């Protein structure tokens, strides 16, 4: 048992990916809720959902980014993997910045249950960077293979065990 399991997760079960699912899901909801308001499909509810989801997304981004940072710090500096992960970091920080600006500049309109055009454009730009960052996140894992154990013949009962045997920690890498 390593202490770093607390912020990096277990071998085969890193903490960052499930948190990214929640974060991306919440921002996606915000973008869609804003869209239905902008399109006039809703009159108030879309705006309220949009702004509150932006705030929730920003809150959930904190543990997501921190667990990502914990992973990033383990990578050899200036390696190809490090470069890919750094592009991912920059894209996600930029996305967060735009969602933050959207929440700040959209607050007035939200208090009138509305979505302002400018704040929605900021949301869309944030979503663009989120998508780009998600794509690059996929490259880290599915191209470079970071945190992937790839134990194809691992018996199911061992694959689902929360605490894997020590030899699998060695196989983990990254
Ligand atoms: C809004 C914040 C972030 C989101 C939504 C996000 C999203 C993602 C996604 C979708 C993946 C692929 C995971 C998978 O295969 O399911 C990933 C992997 C990764 N991300 Fe992030 N990320 C965020 C912030 C960060 C930050 C700030 C860093 C670095 C400082 C970072 C570093 C990494 C690393 C090293 C991986 C590969 C290892 C792993 O999956 O645990 N991420 N991220």
């Amino acid at each position: 048992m390593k202490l770093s399991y607390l912020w990096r997760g277990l071998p085969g079960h890193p903490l960052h990916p499930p948190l990214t699912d929640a974060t991306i899901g919440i921002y996606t909801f915000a973008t869609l809720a804003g869209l239905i308001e902008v399109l006039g499909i809703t009159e108030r509810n879309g705006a309220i959902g949009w702004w509150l989801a932006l705030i929730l997304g920003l809150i959930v981004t904190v543990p997501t980014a921190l667990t990502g940072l914990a992973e990033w710090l383990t990578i050899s500096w200036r390696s190809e993997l490090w470069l890919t992960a750094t592009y991912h970091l920059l894209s996600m920080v930029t996305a967060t910045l735009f969602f933050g600006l959207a929440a700040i500049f959209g607050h007035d309109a939200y208090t009138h249950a509305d979505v302002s055009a400018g704040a929605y454009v900021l949301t869309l730009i944030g979503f663009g960077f989120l998508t780009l960052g998600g794509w690059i996140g996929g490259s880290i894992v599915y191209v470079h293979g970071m945190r992937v154990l790839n134990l194809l013949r691992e018996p199911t009962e061992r694959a689902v065990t929360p605490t894997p045997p020590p030899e699998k920690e060695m196989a983990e890498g990254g």
Side-chain angles (χ1 to χ4, degrees):
M1 267 295 196
K2 292 184 194 167
L3 199 60
S4 68
Y5 287 174
L6 287 175
W7 53 88
R8 291 191 67 210
L10 295 165
H13 301 277
L15 268 183
H16 186 59
L19 287 167
T20 71
D21 291 346
T23 310
I24 293 171
I26 294 164
Y27 284 136
T28 303
F29 175 85
T31 307
L32 291 176
L35 182 69
I36 58 171
E37 187 73 25
V38 167
L39 293 179
I41 296 169
T42 54
E43 284 200 1
R44 299 171 55 87
N45 295 344
I48 293 164
W50 162 73
W51 196 83
L52 290 179
L54 280 180
I55 299 302
L56 184 63
L58 290 166
I59 293 168
V60 178
T61 292
V62 176
T64 307
L66 287 177
T67 50
L69 182 66
E71 296 294 338
W72 183 76
L73 289 172
T74 65
I75 304 172
S76 308
W77 273 60
R78 306 203 175 274
S79 62
E80 295 300 326
L81 169 61
W82 180 85
L83 193 62
T84 308
T86 304
Y87 284 137
H88 170 71
L89 183 171
L90 291 175
S91 191
M92 287 313 189
V93 168
T94 308
T96 308
L97 205 75
F98 276 99
F99 287 131
L101 290 174
I104 292 168
F105 290 114
H107 181 256
D108 265 5
Y110 158 73
T111 57
H112 299 98
D114 205 358
V115 178
S116 63
Y120 194 64
V121 169
L122 292 170
T123 307
L124 283 179
I125 298 173
F127 191 74
F129 278 104
L130 183 75
T131 307
L132 176 69
W135 171 277
I136 303 173
S139 303
I140 303 173
V141 177
Y142 304 107
V143 177
H144 293 296
M146 183 173 182
R147 303 239 30 190
V148 174
L149 298 179
N150 203 23
L151 304 171
L152 279 182
R153 290 169 196 277
E154 187 74 345
T156 304
E157 65 275 14
R158 285 172 52 164
V160 300
T161 305
T163 310
E167 67 268 22
K168 266 171 259 164
E169 294 175 38
M170 308 270 296
E172 182 191 9

